[in-house]
Amino acid sequence: MKFDLTELALVLAVFFIVLAFGVVWIKALPFGYTESALLYLAAVVATSAFWIGRKR
């Protein structure tokens, strides 16, 4: 199985886009550390979903 570097770059891009969007969203809303932890979890879930579904 050949590993493609562009796929890895896309996965990292998805991770950082979700993370950046979440940081802006968290700062706009009056929430605390729990929501920040959920933000990182959402970024990992989004990245995982993209990685799993990349070949389908």
Side-chain angles (χ1 to χ4, degrees):
M1 183 169 157
K2 186 177 178 184
F3 187 73
D4 192 12
L5 191 58
T6 57
E7 290 179 2
L8 181 61
L10 282 172
V11 168
L12 289 175
V14 167
F15 177 76
F16 285 117
I17 287 170
V18 170
L19 202 58
F21 179 73
V23 167
V24 171
W25 190 256
I26 289 282
K27 289 188 181 205
L29 298 174
F31 297 129
Y33 293 115
T34 302
E35 289 78 12
S36 296
L38 291 175
L39 163 67
Y40 288 108
L41 179 63
V44 169
V45 168
T47 304
S48 300
F50 183 79
W51 180 260
I52 291 169
R54 74 189 188 281
K55 291 288 185 183
R56 294 184 183 203

Coordinates of all heavy atoms in Angstrom, one line a residue:
M1 N 0.8 -1.2 0.0 CA 0.0 0.0 0.0 C 0.9 1.2 0.0 O 1.7 1.4 0.9 CB -0.9 0.0 1.2 CG -1.9 1.1 1.3 SD -3.0 0.7 2.6 CE -3.6 2.3 3.0
K2 N 0.7 2.1 -1.0 CA 1.5 3.2 -1.1 C 0.9 4.4 -0.3 O -0.3 4.6 -0.4 CB 1.7 3.6 -2.6 CG 2.6 4.8 -2.8 CD 2.8 5.0 -4.3 CE 3.7 6.2 -4.4 NZ 3.9 6.6 -5.8
F3 N 1.7 5.1 0.4 CA 1.3 6.2 1.2 C 1.5 7.5 0.4 O 2.6 7.8 -0.1 CB 2.1 6.3 2.5 CG 1.6 7.3 3.4 CD1 0.4 7.1 4.1 CD2 2.3 8.5 3.7 CE1 -0.1 8.0 5.0 CE2 1.8 9.5 4.5 CZ 0.6 9.2 5.2
D4 N 0.4 8.3 0.3 CA 0.4 9.5 -0.5 C 0.6 10.7 0.4 O -0.2 10.9 1.4 CB -0.8 9.6 -1.4 CG -0.8 10.7 -2.4 OD1 0.4 11.2 -2.7 OD2 -1.8 11.0 -3.0
L5 N 1.5 11.6 0.1 CA 1.8 12.7 1.0 C 0.7 13.8 0.8 O 0.4 14.5 1.8 CB 3.1 13.3 0.6 CG 3.7 14.4 1.5 CD1 3.9 13.9 2.9 CD2 5.0 14.9 1.0
T6 N 0.0 13.8 -0.3 CA -1.1 14.8 -0.5 C -2.2 14.5 0.4 O -2.9 15.4 0.9 CB -1.5 14.9 -1.9 OG1 -1.9 13.6 -2.4 CG2 -0.4 15.5 -2.8
E7 N -2.5 13.2 0.7 CA -3.6 12.8 1.6 C -3.3 13.2 3.0 O -4.2 13.7 3.7 CB -3.8 11.3 1.5 CG -4.3 10.8 0.2 CD -4.5 9.3 0.2 OE1 -4.2 8.6 1.2 OE2 -4.9 8.8 -0.8
L8 N -2.0 13.1 3.4 CA -1.7 13.5 4.7 C -1.8 15.0 4.9 O -2.3 15.5 5.9 CB -0.2 13.1 5.0 CG 0.3 13.5 6.4 CD1 -0.6 12.8 7.5 CD2 1.7 13.1 6.6
A9 N -1.4 15.8 3.8 CA -1.6 17.2 3.8 C -3.0 17.6 3.9 O -3.4 18.6 4.6 CB -0.9 17.8 2.6
L10 N -3.9 16.9 3.2 CA -5.3 17.2 3.3 C -5.9 16.9 4.7 O -6.7 17.7 5.2 CB -6.1 16.4 2.3 CG -6.0 16.9 0.8 CD1 -6.7 15.9 -0.1 CD2 -6.7 18.2 0.7
V11 N -5.5 15.8 5.3 CA -5.9 15.5 6.6 C -5.5 16.6 7.6 O -6.3 17.0 8.5 CB -5.4 14.1 7.0 CG1 -5.6 13.9 8.5 CG2 -6.1 13.1 6.2
L12 N -4.2 17.0 7.5 CA -3.7 18.1 8.4 C -4.5 19.4 8.2 O -4.8 20.1 9.1 CB -2.2 18.2 8.3 CG -1.4 17.1 8.8 CD1 0.1 17.3 8.5 CD2 -1.6 17.0 10.3
A13 N -4.8 19.7 6.9 CA -5.5 20.9 6.6 C -6.9 20.8 7.2 O -7.4 21.8 7.8 CB -5.6 21.0 5.1
V14 N -7.6 19.7 7.1 CA -8.9 19.6 7.8 C -8.8 19.8 9.3 O -9.6 20.5 9.9 CB -9.5 18.2 7.4 CG1 -10.8 17.9 8.3 CG2 -9.9 18.1 6.0
F15 N -7.8 19.2 9.9 CA -7.6 19.3 11.3 C -7.5 20.8 11.7 O -8.1 21.3 12.6 CB -6.4 18.5 11.8 CG -6.1 18.6 13.2 CD1 -6.9 18.0 14.2 CD2 -5.1 19.4 13.7 CE1 -6.6 18.1 15.5 CE2 -4.8 19.5 15.0 CZ -5.6 18.9 15.9
F16 N -6.6 21.5 11.0 CA -6.3 22.9 11.4 C -7.5 23.8 11.0 O -7.7 24.8 11.7 CB -5.0 23.4 10.8 CG -3.8 22.8 11.4 CD1 -2.9 22.0 10.8 CD2 -3.5 23.0 12.8 CE1 -1.8 21.4 11.4 CE2 -2.5 22.5 13.4 CZ -1.6 21.7 12.7
I17 N -8.2 23.5 10.0 CA -9.4 24.4 9.6 C -10.4 24.2 10.7 O -11.0 25.2 11.2 CB -9.9 24.0 8.2 CG1 -8.9 24.5 7.2 CG2 -11.3 24.6 8.0 CD1 -9.2 24.0 5.8
V18 N -10.7 23.0 11.1 CA -11.7 22.8 12.2 C -11.3 23.4 13.5 O -12.0 24.1 14.2 CB -12.0 21.3 12.4 CG1 -12.8 21.0 13.6 CG2 -12.7 20.7 11.2
L19 N -10.0 23.3 13.8 CA -9.4 23.9 15.0 C -9.5 25.4 15.0 O -9.9 26.1 15.9 CB -8.0 23.4 15.2 CG -7.4 23.5 16.6 CD1 -8.2 22.7 17.5 CD2 -6.0 23.0 16.5
A20 N -9.1 26.0 13.8 CA -9.2 27.5 13.7 C -10.6 28.0 13.8 O -10.9 29.0 14.5 CB -8.6 27.9 12.4
F21 N -11.5 27.3 13.1 CA -12.9 27.7 13.2 C -13.5 27.6 14.6 O -14.2 28.5 15.1 CB -13.8 26.8 12.3 CG -15.3 27.1 12.3 CD1 -15.7 28.3 11.7 CD2 -16.1 26.3 13.0 CE1 -17.1 28.6 11.8 CE2 -17.5 26.6 13.1 CZ -18.0 27.7 12.5
G22 N -13.1 26.5 15.3 CA -13.5 26.4 16.7 C -12.9 27.4 17.6 O -13.6 27.9 18.6
V23 N -11.7 27.8 17.4 CA -11.1 28.8 18.3 C -11.8 30.2 18.1 O -12.1 30.8 19.1 CB -9.6 29.0 17.9 CG1 -9.0 30.3 18.6 CG2 -8.8 27.8 18.4
V24 N -12.2 30.5 16.9 CA -12.9 31.7 16.7 C -14.3 31.6 17.3 O -14.8 32.6 18.0 CB -13.1 32.0 15.2 CG1 -14.0 33.1 14.9 CG2 -11.7 32.3 14.6
W25 N -14.9 30.5 17.2 CA -16.3 30.3 17.7 C -16.2 30.3 19.3 O -17.1 30.9 19.9 CB -16.8 28.9 17.2 CG -18.2 28.7 17.5 CD1 -18.7 27.9 18.5 CD2 -19.4 29.3 16.9 NE1 -20.1 27.9 18.5 CE2 -20.5 28.8 17.5 CE3 -19.5 30.2 15.9 CZ2 -21.8 29.1 17.2 CZ3 -20.8 30.5 15.5 CH2 -21.9 30.0 16.1
I26 N -15.2 29.6 19.9 CA -15.1 29.6 21.3 C -14.9 31.0 21.9 O -15.5 31.4 22.9 CB -14.0 28.7 21.8 CG1 -14.3 27.2 21.5 CG2 -13.6 28.9 23.2 CD1 -15.2 26.6 22.5
K27 N -14.1 31.8 21.2 CA -13.8 33.2 21.7 C -15.1 34.1 21.6 O -15.2 35.0 22.3 CB -12.7 33.8 20.9 CG -11.4 33.2 21.3 CD -10.2 33.9 20.7 CE -8.9 33.2 21.1 NZ -7.8 34.1 21.1
A28 N -16.0 33.8 20.6 CA -17.2 34.6 20.4 C -18.3 34.2 21.5 O -19.1 35.0 21.8 CB -17.7 34.4 19.0
L29 N -18.2 33.0 22.0 CA -19.2 32.5 23.0 C -18.6 32.6 24.4 O -17.4 32.4 24.6 CB -19.6 31.1 22.6 CG -20.3 31.0 21.2 CD1 -20.5 29.5 20.9 CD2 -21.6 31.7 21.2
P30 N -19.5 32.7 25.4 CA -19.1 32.8 26.8 C -18.9 31.5 27.4 O -19.6 31.2 28.4 CB -20.2 33.7 27.4 CG -21.4 33.3 26.7 CD -20.9 33.1 25.2
F31 N -18.1 30.6 26.9 CA -17.9 29.3 27.5 C -16.5 29.1 28.0 O -15.6 30.0 27.9 CB -18.2 28.2 26.5 CG -19.6 28.2 26.0 CD1 -19.9 28.2 24.6 CD2 -20.7 28.2 26.9 CE1 -21.2 28.2 24.2 CE2 -22.0 28.2 26.4 CZ -22.2 28.2 25.1
G32 N -16.2 28.0 28.6 CA -14.9 27.8 29.3 C -14.1 26.6 28.8 O -14.1 26.3 27.6
Y33 N -13.4 25.9 29.7 CA -12.5 24.9 29.4 C -13.1 23.6 28.8 O -12.5 23.0 28.0 CB -11.6 24.5 30.6 CG -10.7 25.7 31.0 CD1 -10.9 26.3 32.2 CD2 -9.7 26.1 30.2 CE1 -10.0 27.3 32.6 CE2 -8.8 27.1 30.5 CZ -9.0 27.7 31.7 OH -8.2 28.8 32.1
T34 N -14.3 23.3 29.3 CA -15.0 22.1 28.8 C -15.2 22.2 27.3 O -15.0 21.3 26.6 CB -16.3 21.9 29.6 OG1 -16.0 21.8 30.9 CG2 -17.0 20.6 29.1
E35 N -15.7 23.4 26.9 CA -16.0 23.6 25.5 C -14.7 23.6 24.7 O -14.7 23.1 23.5 CB -16.7 24.9 25.3 CG -18.2 24.8 25.8 CD -18.3 25.0 27.3 OE1 -17.3 25.4 27.9 OE2 -19.3 24.7 27.8
S36 N -13.6 24.0 25.2 CA -12.3 24.0 24.5 C -11.9 22.5 24.3 O -11.4 22.2 23.3 CB -11.2 24.7 25.3 OG -11.6 26.1 25.4
A37 N -12.1 21.7 25.4 CA -11.8 20.3 25.2 C -12.6 19.6 24.2 O -12.2 18.8 23.4 CB -12.0 19.6 26.6
L38 N -13.9 20.0 24.1 CA -14.8 19.5 23.1 C -14.4 19.9 21.7 O -14.6 19.2 20.7 CB -16.2 19.9 23.4 CG -16.9 19.2 24.6 CD1 -18.2 19.8 24.8 CD2 -16.9 17.7 24.4
L39 N -13.8 21.1 21.6 CA -13.3 21.6 20.3 C -12.2 20.7 19.8 O -12.2 20.3 18.6 CB -12.8 23.0 20.5 CG -11.9 23.6 19.4 CD1 -12.6 23.7 18.1 CD2 -11.3 24.9 19.8
Y40 N -11.2 20.4 20.7 CA -10.1 19.5 20.2 C -10.7 18.1 19.9 O -10.2 17.5 18.9 CB -9.1 19.4 21.3 CG -8.3 20.7 21.4 CD1 -8.4 21.5 22.5 CD2 -7.4 21.0 20.4 CE1 -7.7 22.7 22.6 CE2 -6.7 22.2 20.5 CZ -6.8 23.0 21.6 OH -6.1 24.2 21.7
L41 N -11.6 17.6 20.6 CA -12.2 16.4 20.3 C -12.9 16.4 18.9 O -12.8 15.5 18.1 CB -13.2 15.9 21.4 CG -14.0 14.6 21.1 CD1 -13.0 13.5 21.1 CD2 -15.0 14.4 22.2
A42 N -13.6 17.5 18.7 CA -14.3 17.7 17.4 C -13.3 17.7 16.2 O -13.5 17.2 15.1 CB -15.2 18.9 17.4
A43 N -12.1 18.4 16.4 CA -11.1 18.4 15.4 C -10.6 17.0 15.1 O -10.3 16.7 14.0 CB -10.0 19.4 15.9
V44 N -10.4 16.2 16.2 CA -9.8 14.9 16.0 C -10.9 14.0 15.3 O -10.5 13.2 14.4 CB -9.4 14.3 17.3 CG1 -9.2 12.8 17.2 CG2 -8.2 15.0 17.9
V45 N -12.2 14.1 15.7 CA -13.2 13.4 15.0 C -13.3 13.7 13.5 O -13.5 12.9 12.7 CB -14.5 13.5 15.8 CG1 -15.7 13.0 15.0 CG2 -14.5 12.9 17.1
A46 N -13.3 15.0 13.2 CA -13.4 15.5 11.9 C -12.2 15.0 11.0 O -12.4 14.5 9.9 CB -13.5 17.0 11.8
T47 N -11.1 15.0 11.6 CA -9.9 14.5 10.9 C -10.0 13.0 10.7 O -9.6 12.5 9.6 CB -8.6 14.9 11.7 OG1 -8.6 16.3 11.9 CG2 -7.4 14.4 10.9
S48 N -10.4 12.3 11.7 CA -10.5 10.8 11.6 C -11.6 10.5 10.5 O -11.4 9.6 9.7 CB -11.0 10.2 12.9 OG -10.0 10.5 13.9
A49 N -12.7 11.2 10.5 CA -13.7 10.9 9.5 C -13.2 11.2 8.1 O -13.5 10.4 7.2 CB -15.0 11.8 9.8
F50 N -12.5 12.2 7.9 CA -11.9 12.5 6.6 C -10.9 11.5 6.2 O -10.9 11.0 5.1 CB -11.2 13.9 6.7 CG -10.7 14.3 5.3 CD1 -11.5 14.8 4.4 CD2 -9.3 14.2 5.0 CE1 -11.0 15.2 3.1 CE2 -8.8 14.5 3.8 CZ -9.7 15.0 2.8
W51 N -10.1 11.0 7.2 CA -9.1 10.0 6.9 C -9.8 8.7 6.5 O -9.3 8.0 5.5 CB -8.2 9.8 8.1 CG -7.1 8.8 7.9 CD1 -7.1 7.5 8.3 CD2 -5.9 9.0 7.1 NE1 -6.0 6.8 7.9 CE2 -5.2 7.7 7.2 CE3 -5.3 10.0 6.5 CZ2 -4.0 7.6 6.6 CZ3 -4.1 9.9 5.9 CH2 -3.4 8.7 6.0
I52 N -10.8 8.3 7.2 CA -11.5 7.0 6.9 C -12.2 7.1 5.6 O -12.2 6.2 4.8 CB -12.4 6.7 8.1 CG1 -11.7 6.3 9.3 CG2 -13.4 5.5 7.7 CD1 -12.5 6.2 10.6
G53 N -12.8 8.2 5.3 CA -13.6 8.4 4.1 C -12.9 8.9 2.9 O -13.5 9.1 1.8
R54 N -11.6 9.0 2.9 CA -10.9 9.6 1.8 C -10.9 8.8 0.5 O -10.7 9.3 -0.5 CB -9.4 9.9 2.2 CG -8.5 8.7 2.4 CD -7.2 9.0 3.0 NE -6.3 7.9 3.0 CZ -6.3 6.9 3.8 NH1 -7.3 6.8 4.7 NH2 -5.5 5.9 3.7
K55 N -11.0 7.5 0.6 CA -10.9 6.6 -0.5 C -12.3 6.1 -1.0 O -12.4 5.4 -1.9 CB -10.1 5.3 -0.2 CG -8.7 5.6 0.0 CD -8.0 6.0 -1.4 CE -6.5 6.2 -1.2 NZ -5.9 6.6 -2.4
R56 N -13.4 6.6 -0.4 CA -14.7 6.1 -0.8 C -15.4 7.1 -1.6 O -15.2 8.2 -1.8 CB -15.5 5.9 0.5 CG -14.9 4.7 1.2 CD -15.7 4.4 2.4 NE -15.0 3.3 3.1 CZ -15.6 2.5 3.9 NH1 -16.9 2.6 4.1 NH2 -14.9 1.5 4.5

